[in-house]
């Protein structure tokens, strides 16, 4: 395994022209006619794609997401020729074991809940005993 020991600080900063281009591409999306029984067994349902595009156009705030992610220390390195992006957040608990990586991309997209648990596991255990509502 070939690795580099160079770890570089990283911040997400997508240029506005790239976000504008994405918006124009989303607005220009041409959806196919749904197949009979348009379900996941025939691919991604057209209705789902329409909702997803609508969300990206009107419901997703990229700059807010960027700010949320940039609130955490981020770094990049290279392992076996692959660029690796990671967050480095220390626990508030003395002697806490480190967490390597999480295989689910959603954890890096929405780090606040998982980071809160990792940084302060005692508080997370206490919060876990309280009723919660589901997140869609």
């Amino acid at each position: 395994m070939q690795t580099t020991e160079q770890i570089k600080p990283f911040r997400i900063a997508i240029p506005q022209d790239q976000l504008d281009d994405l918006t124009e591409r989303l607005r220009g999306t041409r959806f196919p006619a749904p197949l009979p029984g348009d379900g996941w067994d025939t691919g991604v349902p057209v209705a789902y794609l329409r909702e997803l595009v609508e969300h990206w156009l009107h419901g997703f705030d990229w700059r807010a997401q960027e700010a949320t992610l940039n609130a955490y220390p981020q770094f990049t390195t290279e392992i076996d020729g692959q660029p690796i992006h990671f967050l480095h957040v220390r626990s508030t608990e003395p002697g806490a074991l480190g967490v390597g990586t999480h295989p689910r991309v959603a954890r890096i997209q929405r780090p606040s809940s998982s980071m809160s648990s990792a940084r302060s596991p005692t508080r997370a255990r206490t919060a876990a005993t309280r009723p919660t509502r589901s997140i869609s």
Side-chain angles (χ1 to χ4, degrees):
M1 173 164 51
Q2 183 179 10
T3 63
T4 178
E5 294 189 19
Q6 188 175 22
I7 295 176
K8 302 176 205 169
F10 179 82
R11 287 187 58 80
I12 298 171
I14 304 300
Q16 186 60 46
D17 65 323
Q18 290 182 13
L19 295 177
D20 294 342
D21 178 62
L22 175 60
T23 298
E24 289 307 310
R25 289 171 184 253
L26 290 168
R27 284 186 181 140
T29 301
R30 297 183 313 182
F31 296 98
L35 294 171
D38 189 31
W40 289 98
D41 57 332
T42 59
V44 178
V46 175
Y48 178 84
L49 284 175
R50 286 183 183 278
E51 287 179 30
L52 186 61
V53 167
E54 185 67 22
H55 173 71
W56 274 91
L57 280 170
H58 304 291
F60 187 82
D61 182 344
W62 178 260
R63 294 300 181 204
Q65 183 66 29
E66 200 173 63
T68 298
L69 290 167
N70 283 335
Y72 297 98
Q74 301 173 71
F75 301 90
T76 59
T77 192
E78 186 178 300
I79 299 175
D80 275 349
Q82 294 298 311
I84 304 296
H85 168 245
F86 62 97
L87 307 180
H88 184 252
V89 180
R90 294 188 183 273
S91 175
T92 58
E93 299 292 322
L97 296 176
V99 176
T101 59
H102 199 290
R104 289 190 49 209
V105 174
R107 288 293 169 223
I108 202 115
Q109 292 171 343
R110 290 182 298 223
S112 57
S113 62
S114 59
M115 287 299 165
S116 295
S117 297
R119 292 185 75 196
S120 185
T122 304
R123 188 175 62 201
R125 281 191 298 274
T126 303
T129 62
R130 288 182 250 150
T132 59
R133 63 186 176 123
S134 65
I135 300 172
S136 56

